[in-house]
Amino acid sequence: MKNKDKDENNNIDPKNLMAVERATTALIGTAISLIVLGFVVEKFELFLDLISMQLKGKQDLSVPQLQNTDFYNYLGIAIVSAGIILALYTYRYYTLWIKHLQEGKIDTDKNIYFLLSIFVALIGVVMLVGMVIV
């Protein structure tokens, strides 16, 4: 049994295996970037609080952005959650590709790249609306 598994792994072309590993690493990097971006967006409230204290110390000004801090909290939590989901999905992506390579099949999962592109574009639109309107 052990030799059979070893033989199946030896049938995988190293170029294909390295390509899958590069794609997996890129997805993990994207997941990390989403998590960091979500953290920064969520902690934007702290930045606004500090700016507000500085402005109030010099003059009697109110900062209108402080009324909408819940928006940044929820947006940050959603982005971090998406990063976590992508990180978990990446393991499934990797194992599925290893299975395909062992079987000698070439199949592609275009859905993850489509969904990731749509999500990143949606984050951009929501942040743009947040900067302009909120």
Side-chain angles (χ1 to χ4, degrees), residues 12-118:
I12 297 175
D13 184 15
K15 293 177 190 174
N16 293 335
L17 181 61
M18 288 182 221
V20 169
E21 289 175 351
R22 281 190 304 272
T24 303
T25 303
L27 284 173
I28 288 292
T30 304
I32 292 168
S33 298
L34 283 173
I35 291 169
V36 169
L37 175 65
F39 180 78
V40 169
V41 168
E42 200 275 329
K43 293 301 176 189
F44 187 62
E45 173 189 4
L46 178 61
F47 172 73
L48 291 176
D49 285 339
L50 291 173
I51 294 295
S52 175
M53 284 189 281
Q54 290 293 325
L55 290 175
K56 285 182 180 178
K58 294 180 181 177
Q59 301 172 11
D60 190 23
L61 296 175
S62 63
V63 180
Q65 289 90 347
L66 289 178
Q67 299 168 359
N68 302 311
T69 55
D70 287 341
F71 171 77
Y72 296 109
N73 288 338
Y74 292 128
L75 181 61
I77 290 169
I79 296 171
V80 169
S81 300
I84 292 168
I85 290 168
L86 180 61
L88 295 173
Y89 177 81
T90 301
Y91 178 73
R92 180 185 174 280
Y93 175 86
Y94 179 76
T95 56
L96 186 65
W97 263 103
I98 295 299
K99 180 181 170 188
H100 286 314
L101 291 175
Q102 287 173 343
E103 295 171 356
K105 291 192 288 185
I106 299 296
D107 190 17
T108 184
D109 185 7
K110 296 176 185 170
N111 292 335
I112 185 62
Y113 297 108
F114 175 72
L115 292 174
L116 189 58
S117 299
I118 293 296

